[in-house]
PDB file of all heavy atoms in Angstrom:
ATOM      1  N   GLU A 552     -16.237   8.578  -5.615  1.00 91.00           N
ATOM      2  CA  GLU A 552     -17.264   8.870  -4.612  1.00 91.00           C
ATOM      3  C   GLU A 552     -18.537   9.381  -5.266  1.00 91.00           C
ATOM      4  O   GLU A 552     -19.640   9.004  -4.882  1.00 91.00           O
ATOM      5  CB  GLU A 552     -16.751   9.917  -3.599  1.00 91.00           C
ATOM      6  CG  GLU A 552     -16.060   9.312  -2.416  1.00 91.00           C
ATOM      7  CD  GLU A 552     -16.108  10.217  -1.181  1.00 91.00           C
ATOM      8  OE1 GLU A 552     -16.907  11.181  -1.141  1.00 91.00           O
ATOM      9  OE2 GLU A 552     -15.321   9.963  -0.258  1.00 91.00           O
ATOM     10  N   MET A 553     -18.368  10.236  -6.265  1.00 94.00           N
ATOM     11  CA  MET A 553     -19.556  10.763  -6.952  1.00 94.00           C
ATOM     12  C   MET A 553     -20.315   9.638  -7.633  1.00 94.00           C
ATOM     13  O   MET A 553     -21.549   9.566  -7.560  1.00 94.00           O
ATOM     14  CB  MET A 553     -19.145  11.801  -8.003  1.00 94.00           C
ATOM     15  CG  MET A 553     -18.762  13.132  -7.412  1.00 94.00           C
ATOM     16  SD  MET A 553     -18.597  14.380  -8.715  1.00 94.00           S
ATOM     17  CE  MET A 553     -16.864  14.309  -9.016  1.00 94.00           C
ATOM     18  N   ALA A 554     -19.569   8.722  -8.290  1.00 93.00           N
ATOM     19  CA  ALA A 554     -20.217   7.625  -9.019  1.00 93.00           C
ATOM     20  C   ALA A 554     -20.832   6.613  -8.055  1.00 93.00           C
ATOM     21  O   ALA A 554     -21.639   5.787  -8.441  1.00 93.00           O
ATOM     22  CB  ALA A 554     -19.215   6.948  -9.940  1.00 93.00           C
ATOM     23  N   TYR A 556     -22.104   7.624  -4.701  1.00 92.00           N
ATOM     24  CA  TYR A 556     -23.155   8.212  -3.861  1.00 92.00           C
ATOM     25  C   TYR A 556     -24.147   9.081  -4.638  1.00 92.00           C
ATOM     26  O   TYR A 556     -25.137   9.559  -4.085  1.00 92.00           O
ATOM     27  CB  TYR A 556     -22.526   9.003  -2.711  1.00 92.00           C
ATOM     28  CG  TYR A 556     -21.702   8.118  -1.810  1.00 92.00           C
ATOM     29  CD1 TYR A 556     -20.319   8.221  -1.758  1.00 92.00           C
ATOM     30  CD2 TYR A 556     -22.318   7.125  -1.030  1.00 92.00           C
ATOM     31  CE1 TYR A 556     -19.559   7.384  -0.951  1.00 92.00           C
ATOM     32  CE2 TYR A 556     -21.564   6.289  -0.227  1.00 92.00           C
ATOM     33  CZ  TYR A 556     -20.193   6.423  -0.196  1.00 92.00           C
ATOM     34  OH  TYR A 556     -19.458   5.589   0.597  1.00 92.00           O
ATOM     35  N   LEU A 557     -23.883   9.310  -5.908  1.00 94.00           N
ATOM     36  CA  LEU A 557     -24.818   9.992  -6.806  1.00 94.00           C
ATOM     37  C   LEU A 557     -25.465  11.248  -6.212  1.00 94.00           C
ATOM     38  O   LEU A 557     -26.696  11.345  -6.146  1.00 94.00           O
ATOM     39  CB  LEU A 557     -25.927   9.010  -7.229  1.00 94.00           C
ATOM     40  CG  LEU A 557     -25.456   7.626  -7.692  1.00 94.00           C
ATOM     41  CD1 LEU A 557     -26.651   6.715  -7.937  1.00 94.00           C
ATOM     42  CD2 LEU A 557     -24.608   7.727  -8.937  1.00 94.00           C
ATOM     43  N   PRO A 558     -24.679  12.215  -5.787  1.00 95.00           N
ATOM     44  CA  PRO A 558     -25.261  13.438  -5.224  1.00 95.00           C
ATOM     45  C   PRO A 558     -26.140  14.137  -6.266  1.00 95.00           C
ATOM     46  O   PRO A 558     -25.782  14.162  -7.445  1.00 95.00           O
ATOM     47  CB  PRO A 558     -24.038  14.292  -4.881  1.00 95.00           C
ATOM     48  CG  PRO A 558     -22.945  13.766  -5.734  1.00 95.00           C
ATOM     49  CD  PRO A 558     -23.208  12.305  -5.896  1.00 95.00           C
ATOM     50  N   GLN A 559     -27.279  14.674  -5.820  1.00 95.00           N
ATOM     51  CA  GLN A 559     -28.232  15.264  -6.760  1.00 95.00           C
ATOM     52  C   GLN A 559     -28.340  16.782  -6.622  1.00 95.00           C
ATOM     53  O   GLN A 559     -29.027  17.425  -7.401  1.00 95.00           O
ATOM     54  CB  GLN A 559     -29.625  14.640  -6.573  1.00 95.00           C
ATOM     55  CG  GLN A 559     -29.653  13.118  -6.741  1.00 95.00           C
ATOM     56  CD  GLN A 559     -29.424  12.690  -8.191  1.00 95.00           C
ATOM     57  OE1 GLN A 559     -30.006  13.268  -9.102  1.00 95.00           O
ATOM     58  NE2 GLN A 559     -28.568  11.690  -8.407  1.00 95.00           N
ATOM     59  N   THR A 560     -27.727  17.340  -5.564  1.00 94.00           N
ATOM     60  CA  THR A 560     -27.769  18.794  -5.397  1.00 94.00           C
ATOM     61  C   THR A 560     -26.368  19.299  -5.087  1.00 94.00           C
ATOM     62  O   THR A 560     -25.484  18.505  -4.740  1.00 94.00           O
ATOM     63  CB  THR A 560     -28.660  19.180  -4.197  1.00 94.00           C
ATOM     64  OG1 THR A 560     -28.050  18.632  -3.012  1.00 94.00           O
ATOM     65  CG2 THR A 560     -30.066  18.645  -4.325  1.00 94.00           C
ATOM     66  N   GLU A 563     -25.392  18.326  -1.587  1.00 93.00           N
ATOM     67  CA  GLU A 563     -24.932  16.933  -1.495  1.00 93.00           C
ATOM     68  C   GLU A 563     -23.540  16.788  -2.104  1.00 93.00           C
ATOM     69  O   GLU A 563     -22.683  16.079  -1.578  1.00 93.00           O
ATOM     70  CB  GLU A 563     -25.931  16.005  -2.213  1.00 93.00           C
ATOM     71  CG  GLU A 563     -27.248  15.867  -1.455  1.00 93.00           C
ATOM     72  CD  GLU A 563     -28.190  14.825  -2.070  1.00 93.00           C
ATOM     73  OE1 GLU A 563     -27.923  14.334  -3.191  1.00 93.00           O
ATOM     74  OE2 GLU A 563     -29.182  14.508  -1.410  1.00 93.00           O
ATOM     75  N   LEU A 564     -23.325  17.475  -3.212  1.00 95.00           N
ATOM     76  CA  LEU A 564     -22.021  17.405  -3.868  1.00 95.00           C
ATOM     77  C   LEU A 564     -20.918  17.908  -2.935  1.00 95.00           C
ATOM     78  O   LEU A 564     -19.803  17.385  -2.920  1.00 95.00           O
ATOM     79  CB  LEU A 564     -22.048  18.228  -5.156  1.00 95.00           C
ATOM     80  CG  LEU A 564     -20.902  17.989  -6.139  1.00 95.00           C
ATOM     81  CD1 LEU A 564     -20.903  16.555  -6.643  1.00 95.00           C
ATOM     82  CD2 LEU A 564     -20.977  18.958  -7.303  1.00 95.00           C
ATOM     83  N   ILE A 567     -18.994  15.471  -0.838  1.00 93.00           N
ATOM     84  CA  ILE A 567     -18.063  14.538  -1.480  1.00 93.00           C
ATOM     85  C   ILE A 567     -16.638  15.004  -1.187  1.00 93.00           C
ATOM     86  O   ILE A 567     -16.310  16.176  -1.373  1.00 93.00           O
ATOM     87  CB  ILE A 567     -18.302  14.518  -3.015  1.00 93.00           C
ATOM     88  CG1 ILE A 567     -19.706  13.999  -3.344  1.00 93.00           C
ATOM     89  CG2 ILE A 567     -17.225  13.732  -3.736  1.00 93.00           C
ATOM     90  CD1 ILE A 567     -19.930  12.536  -3.082  1.00 93.00           C
ATOM     91  N   LEU A 583     -22.475  18.055 -11.591  1.00 96.00           N
ATOM     92  CA  LEU A 583     -23.827  17.744 -11.148  1.00 96.00           C
ATOM     93  C   LEU A 583     -24.737  17.420 -12.343  1.00 96.00           C
ATOM     94  O   LEU A 583     -25.511  16.464 -12.309  1.00 96.00           O
ATOM     95  CB  LEU A 583     -24.375  18.948 -10.372  1.00 96.00           C
ATOM     96  CG  LEU A 583     -25.509  18.644  -9.407  1.00 96.00           C
ATOM     97  CD1 LEU A 583     -25.085  17.596  -8.393  1.00 96.00           C
ATOM     98  CD2 LEU A 583     -25.919  19.926  -8.683  1.00 96.00           C
ATOM     99  N   ILE A 586     -24.209  13.942 -13.411  1.00 96.00           N
ATOM    100  CA  ILE A 586     -24.737  12.945 -12.474  1.00 96.00           C
ATOM    101  C   ILE A 586     -26.264  12.892 -12.541  1.00 96.00           C
ATOM    102  O   ILE A 586     -26.856  11.804 -12.605  1.00 96.00           O
ATOM    103  CB  ILE A 586     -24.296  13.248 -11.026  1.00 96.00           C
ATOM    104  CG1 ILE A 586     -22.768  13.292 -10.928  1.00 96.00           C
ATOM    105  CG2 ILE A 586     -24.831  12.183 -10.068  1.00 96.00           C
ATOM    106  CD1 ILE A 586     -22.240  13.818  -9.615  1.00 96.00           C
ATOM    107  N   THR A 587     -26.908  14.068 -12.556  1.00 95.00           N
ATOM    108  CA  THR A 587     -28.378  14.040 -12.531  1.00 95.00           C
ATOM    109  C   THR A 587     -28.930  13.457 -13.829  1.00 95.00           C
ATOM    110  O   THR A 587     -29.871  12.664 -13.801  1.00 95.00           O
ATOM    111  CB  THR A 587     -28.973  15.446 -12.293  1.00 95.00           C
ATOM    112  OG1 THR A 587     -28.309  16.369 -13.159  1.00 95.00           O
ATOM    113  CG2 THR A 587     -28.788  15.894 -10.868  1.00 95.00           C
ATOM    114  N   SER A 597     -30.231   9.555  -5.264  1.00 90.00           N
ATOM    115  CA  SER A 597     -29.080   9.867  -4.414  1.00 90.00           C
ATOM    116  C   SER A 597     -28.845   8.786  -3.361  1.00 90.00           C
ATOM    117  O   SER A 597     -29.772   8.283  -2.739  1.00 90.00           O
ATOM    118  CB  SER A 597     -29.321  11.201  -3.712  1.00 90.00           C
ATOM    119  OG  SER A 597     -28.337  11.379  -2.718  1.00 90.00           O
ATOM    120  N   GLN A 598     -27.595   8.426  -3.169  1.00 88.00           N
ATOM    121  CA  GLN A 598     -27.219   7.450  -2.137  1.00 88.00           C
ATOM    122  C   GLN A 598     -26.446   8.148  -1.025  1.00 88.00           C
ATOM    123  O   GLN A 598     -25.780   7.492  -0.225  1.00 88.00           O
ATOM    124  CB  GLN A 598     -26.324   6.364  -2.748  1.00 88.00           C
ATOM    125  CG  GLN A 598     -26.957   5.604  -3.890  1.00 88.00           C
ATOM    126  CD  GLN A 598     -28.148   4.806  -3.417  1.00 88.00           C
ATOM    127  OE1 GLN A 598     -28.074   4.097  -2.416  1.00 88.00           O
ATOM    128  NE2 GLN A 598     -29.274   4.944  -4.106  1.00 88.00           N
ATOM    129  N   ILE A 599     -26.535   9.459  -1.011  1.00 87.00           N
ATOM    130  CA  ILE A 599     -25.642  10.227  -0.152  1.00 87.00           C
ATOM    131  C   ILE A 599     -25.863   9.898   1.320  1.00 87.00           C
ATOM    132  O   ILE A 599     -24.945   9.976   2.130  1.00 87.00           O
ATOM    133  CB  ILE A 599     -25.794  11.751  -0.424  1.00 87.00           C
ATOM    134  CG1 ILE A 599     -24.500  12.484  -0.069  1.00 87.00           C
ATOM    135  CG2 ILE A 599     -26.970  12.350   0.299  1.00 87.00           C
ATOM    136  CD1 ILE A 599     -23.515  12.524  -1.196  1.00 87.00           C
TER     137      ILE A 599
END
Side-chain angles (χ1 to χ4, degrees):
E552 270 205 15
M553 284 191 265
Y556 298 111
L557 313 174
Q559 302 290 315
T560 63
E563 289 187 350
L564 195 62
I567 297 290
L583 202 57
I586 302 170
T587 47
S597 169
Q598 301 295 312
I599 206 87

